[in-house]
Amino acid sequence: MHVARPHVDESPTDPDIAAVLFDRDTIAARVKSLAQRIADDWRAYTEAEHHAADLTLVPILTGSFIFVADLIRCLPMRLQIRLLSISSYPGPATTSRGPQVQAGLGNLPASLEGAHLLLVDDILDSGRTLAMAVDLLRQRRPASLRTAVLLRKDRPEARAFPVDYVCFDVPDVFVAGYGLDYNDYYRNLPDIVTLRPEVFSPSAPHENAPC
Ligand code: IMP
Ligand code: MG
């Protein structure tokens, strides 16, 4: 049977890429090894506690959706997903406007008492988003809380912020792809990239009205 394949080799957004920081194969390998570490730590933790427990992943939307989709398929334990929607770069902003919880709390229940949580975000920049999310989760009284990020920027605030798992350290530049956006575009790029400066100019074709 003939199966039509989408053309994924070339995308209209390719000319907007300045450089590829991490390509898809490198990302896949690192996500797999991070999952292995999480699984090993989880096994050690549950063995030490002498009881079987479930893990609950809490991805911060929107940027972590591809990372978490790949990550959970490498995780062997029983797990659940609770979504949390926080945004700090509205529209075409490339500097944080301060994190805000969007659209209620995703599907986060009022109590997470006794739950073992793994909070997952795409990128640790100033640390304000993770700090807000950690605070929201701690109020729900989980039994344990760990944090994982795909990327950590090379800036003092990010390095000082305590996170349990980091896939990649990146320079302090604006990055996109593999779930990360600029103005809600580029999330579908399979690699993690930097963008050409023209993309950020007010006359750029994709730009929505600044909010
Ligand atoms: P923080 O609150 O300053 O740590 O910023 C974290 C949030 O800002 C992340 O969850 C991302 O959504 C967004 N963000 C920070 N840096 C970038 C970037 O370089 N590209 C795309 N989004 C970013
Ligand atoms: Mg985000």
Side-chain angles (χ1 to χ4, degrees):
M1 191 178 74
H2 174 73
V3 180
R5 286 178 187 278
H7 291 282
V8 290
D9 292 342
E10 265 188 42
S11 146
T13 54
D14 283 356
D16 297 347
I17 297 171
V20 173
L21 296 184
F22 304 106
D23 65 34
R24 61 206 79 182
D25 295 335
T26 307
I27 298 169
R30 288 295 289 271
V31 170
K32 205 171 163 191
S33 70
L34 184 78
Q36 186 71 54
R37 272 185 55 209
I38 293 171
D40 290 348
D41 290 353
W42 179 248
R43 201 172 302 114
Y45 178 75
T46 50
E47 275 170 17
E49 298 284 304
H50 302 297
H51 69 84
D54 296 343
L55 183 63
T56 303
L57 268 78
V58 184
I60 300 179
L61 298 178
T62 305
S64 70
F65 76 121
I66 294 181
F67 174 42
V68 85
D70 285 346
L71 184 69
I72 58 171
R73 283 177 290 173
C74 300
L75 289 174
M77 73 287 280
R78 264 168 64 92
L79 61 81
Q80 295 182 312
I81 302 276
R82 300 291 186 191
L83 304 174
L84 179 55
S85 191
I86 298 182
S87 174
S88 45
Y89 284 28
T94 54
T95 52
S96 174
R97 304 286 160 87
Q100 301 214 322
V101 176
Q102 305 288 310
L105 293 173
N107 66 353
L108 209 60
S111 168
L112 287 162
E113 201 155 347
H116 295 275
L117 306 181
L118 178 63
L119 178 62
V120 183
D121 203 8
D122 53 357
I123 187 163
L124 173 57
D125 187 0
S126 70
R128 287 193 289 175
T129 301
L130 268 190
M132 181 194 230
V134 164
D135 199 42
L136 276 169
L137 295 180
R138 287 216 188 286
Q139 287 168 23
R140 287 164 173 74
R141 304 170 58 81
S144 68
L145 173 58
R146 290 187 187 200
T147 46
V149 292
L150 172 69
L151 305 171
R152 174 172 57 191
K153 280 198 185 168
D154 185 13
R155 57 182 285 194
E157 300 91 329
R159 284 194 305 269
F161 195 95
V163 274
D164 297 292
Y165 303 103
V166 178
C167 240
F168 297 104
D169 282 298
V170 285
D172 188 10
V173 293
F174 195 83
V175 297
Y178 194 69
L180 290 106
D181 73 306
Y182 169 62
N183 199 17
D184 222 18
Y185 291 99
Y186 307 106
R187 295 192 195 275
N188 56 324
L189 294 174
D191 308 315
I192 296 168
V193 305
T194 55
L195 297 170
R196 289 188 183 284
E198 306 87 83
V199 171
F200 305 111
S201 78
S203 57
H206 303 308
E207 207 141 49
N208 296 330
C211 49

